[in-house]
Amino acid sequence: MTKAVKGTHDLFDKSLLYHQTIIGRARDWLEAAGGREIATPIFELTEVFERGVGTTTDIVQKEMFTFTDRGGRSLTLRPEGTAGVVRAYLEHGMKVWPQPVKLWYAGPMFRAERPQKGRQRQFHQVGYEVLGSDSPLADAEAVALSYLILRDLGLRKITLRLGSVGDLEDRRRYNAYLREVLKPRAQELSADSQRRLEANPLRILDSKSETDQRILRELAVRPMLDFLGPEAAAHLEQVKSLLSEMNIPYTIDPSIVRGLDYYVRTSWEIHHKLLGAQSALGGGGRYDGLSELLGGPPTPGVGWALGIERVALAMEAEGLSPAPARPLDIYVAALDPDLLPLALQAAIRLWPELRVEYSLSSKRPAKAIREAEKRGARYVAFIGENEARSNTLTLKDISSGEQVTLPIEEVKSWFESGGRA
Ligand code: AMP
């Protein structure tokens, strides 16, 4: 039997309900905040991610699904949403809209990572980008929304880790410091980190290698936060006080480094206490230089993404159920084979306001009730000779057993007004 590719999953039933619940709650908050939904293509020119994520990141170096199209162009399945959204903002001249422009999206992302619990090759994110403002208010709003959506889903065991990666100049100084302290131990670092030592030493802090992490501890490497210039430091202080005023609890994480090369200033992650190794539910940051890297005018931006599968795992871990599927209102059964077309016709007249299924073979009433119960229907509707002649349906309330006969055209309004037999 053919199976789904390793690291990919079918979403259906409960897993899909979790997805819909998470996206639905995010949509409520993000639209309320003035966000407009955007759906960008699932693949882009590879250069969008090389520039927009950064060539020294793990994502670009190791994790992209890249292919060449028939015209010889290099294309990549999107590993994240921000670069495509900023590309679209620039391409469609959203710079002339009232600023900031707030865009949100939900959809699949693709990374060639080693699959494990909470880490897939195709996964889904919901994300929010605020483009055109460098105000710390925009950062605080973005952080708050990412946190409040998770709280509103019922999650309690979440922690918000806030930090700053400084301005580009601060990072240059920090990278120079890292090169200097790490150089004497360079031979002991993992091959990846030896390469990073030249290209982007900051990435070494992110290394998954135990040895790298031990060396960092032994050298008591100072955190990025020690290297903030006065402007980035003031910005962080403003974001902190805005969050405190909103009663959003956070801890300062002095060593936070996010996956993108071009993050500046504010960066944050939200973790879940019950999820083990892959505990990050999401994260975000400010990326003021990104627009220019994609060939646009200077446009500050801040945004985040939540991993939908991770949030679903966290909800399960806290015993939170997804919003239930729309229940079946009526299960229609014809009592005689000749009347089967009427069951379909009745269903068509009741769709889409009511959720209706009908039996494809005639049923005796007792059997029809059992079938309706199996499907969780509220009512079973019989069509016999009488109903056929008078264009009515006889509806039986599955839980109370009460019965009512109604003209078909009155069934919808009867339901709207509460539908008591
Ligand atoms: P990132 O864009 O790497 O900051 O990811 C944002 C969030 O997406 C993470 O915190 C995870 O919740 C989720 N995520 C990232 N990579 C994966 C993956 N390979 N599988 C499942 N979820 C992921």
Side-chain angles (χ1 to χ4, degrees):
M1 192 182 37
T2 315
K3 293 195 169 158
V5 174
K6 197 166 153 223
T8 70
H9 292 275
D10 299 309
L11 291 171
F12 62 100
D13 219 20
K14 200 168 177 194
S15 60
L16 189 65
L17 288 176
Y18 271 117
H19 269 241
Q20 290 168 339
T21 303
I22 294 161
I23 294 170
R25 222 66 279 262
R27 172 185 290 115
D28 290 344
W29 280 88
L30 300 174
E31 298 262 329
R36 305 173 187 224
E37 186 169 1
I38 184 165
T40 62
I42 275 169
F43 55 87
E44 300 265 359
L45 290 173
T46 301
E47 64 183 47
V48 170
F49 304 113
E50 283 174 349
R51 297 191 200 172
V53 178
T55 47
T56 69
T57 59
D58 277 1
I59 291 182
V60 170
Q61 286 188 349
K62 297 192 236 167
E63 296 171 2
M64 295 205 303
F65 285 105
T66 295
F67 57 99
T68 307
D69 76 0
R70 286 163 197 242
R73 280 171 293 262
S74 178
L75 305 178
T76 293
L77 296 182
R78 63 183 187 193
E80 57 90 51
T82 306
V85 169
V86 174
R87 197 258 320 127
Y89 172 95
L90 297 171
E91 185 168 339
H92 304 294
M94 296 185 202
K95 191 125 182 104
V96 303
W97 295 8
Q99 304 291 300
V101 174
K102 301 173 175 184
L103 299 167
W104 76 274
Y105 60 85
M109 306 293 160
F110 306 85
R111 294 185 196 173
E113 297 191 87
R114 197 167 55 77
Q116 52 183 279
K117 192 173 162 66
R119 191 185 282 166
Q120 296 158 215
R121 293 188 166 173
Q122 176 172 344
F123 61 101
H124 297 77
Q125 289 183 336
V126 53
Y128 183 57
E129 316 289 351
V130 180
L131 294 156
S133 169
D134 61 5
S135 164
L137 285 165
D139 305 51
E141 172 193 319
V143 176
L145 284 169
S146 65
Y147 182 81
L148 291 171
I149 289 166
L150 295 173
R151 288 283 302 181
D152 196 20
L153 284 165
L155 292 169
R156 292 297 172 265
K157 298 189 185 315
I158 51 177
T159 50
L160 170 59
R161 299 185 194 163
L162 180 70
S164 172
V165 293
D167 284 313
L168 291 179
E169 184 48 41
D170 307 336
R171 282 241 290 286
R172 236 168 258 136
R173 283 190 296 122
Y174 188 53
N175 273 332
Y177 158 79
L178 287 175
R179 270 190 208 102
E180 194 185 300
V181 288
L182 288 170
K183 215 153 228 162
R185 308 279 301 266
Q187 301 308 318
E188 299 167 56
L189 291 171
S190 67
D192 274 346
S193 289
Q194 291 190 23
R195 267 198 309 278
R196 293 176 184 132
L197 197 55
E198 281 319 307
N200 189 356
L202 190 74
R203 295 256 69 84
I204 297 174
L205 306 184
D206 240 359
S207 167
K208 288 169 191 128
S209 142
E210 285 290 329
T211 319
D212 290 354
Q213 290 300 336
R214 182 173 45 80
I215 293 168
L216 291 169
R217 277 194 305 275
E218 285 169 7
L219 292 172
V221 168
R222 290 165 63 199
M224 176 69 231
L225 223 47
D226 284 3
F227 287 76
L228 297 193
E231 283 161 8
H235 191 93
L236 178 62
E237 285 312 309
Q238 282 169 300
V239 175
K240 279 163 63 180
S241 71
L242 287 165
L243 290 174
S244 300
E245 284 160 28
M246 289 188 278
N247 292 319
I248 308 269
Y250 61 85
T251 53
I252 289 295
D253 184 342
S255 57
I256 207 157
V257 270
R258 303 262 316 132
L260 309 196
D261 272 358
Y262 305 108
Y263 272 126
V264 291
R265 300 195 173 185
T266 314
S267 44
W268 74 97
E269 284 179 357
I270 300 179
H271 288 258
H272 194 268
K273 288 179 187 151
L274 305 179
L275 283 197
Q278 308 301 323
S279 68
L281 300 185
R286 181 164 272 291
Y287 45 79
D288 293 348
L290 181 52
S291 165
E292 286 149 283
L293 289 163
L294 293 174
T299 310
V302 58
W304 50 260
L306 296 174
I308 297 179
E309 283 84 355
R310 295 264 181 97
V311 176
L313 284 174
M315 288 176 71
E316 273 190 304
E318 289 200 40
L320 299 164
S321 301
R326 184 177 165 190
L328 186 61
D329 296 310
I330 306 177
Y331 182 71
V332 183
L335 302 178
D336 183 282
D338 293 345
L339 303 175
L340 283 169
L342 293 181
L344 169 59
Q345 282 171 33
I348 284 187
R349 290 178 66 179
L350 298 175
W351 292 336
E353 285 82 357
L354 298 180
R355 189 156 175 220
V356 179
E357 288 183 32
Y358 65 96
S359 171
L360 295 168
S361 57
S362 61
K363 295 260 170 347
R364 279 180 292 109
K367 172 86 165 123
I369 292 171
R370 276 202 302 281
E371 291 295 321
E373 277 170 346
K374 272 192 219 161
R375 291 166 170 76
R378 228 177 119 193
Y379 291 90
V380 62
F382 302 118
I383 302 181
E385 288 302 334
N386 283 342
E387 288 81 4
R389 215 173 306 115
S390 57
N391 237 332
T392 56
L393 280 182
T394 295
L395 293 156
K396 188 182 180 72
D397 186 321
I398 297 285
S399 56
S400 72
E402 283 173 68
Q403 208 163 294
V404 62
T405 299
L406 294 170
I408 291 187
E409 62 271 16
E410 285 176 23
V411 172
K412 282 183 187 173
S413 56
W414 182 76
F415 255 83
E416 264 168 34
S417 58
R420 281 270 153 261

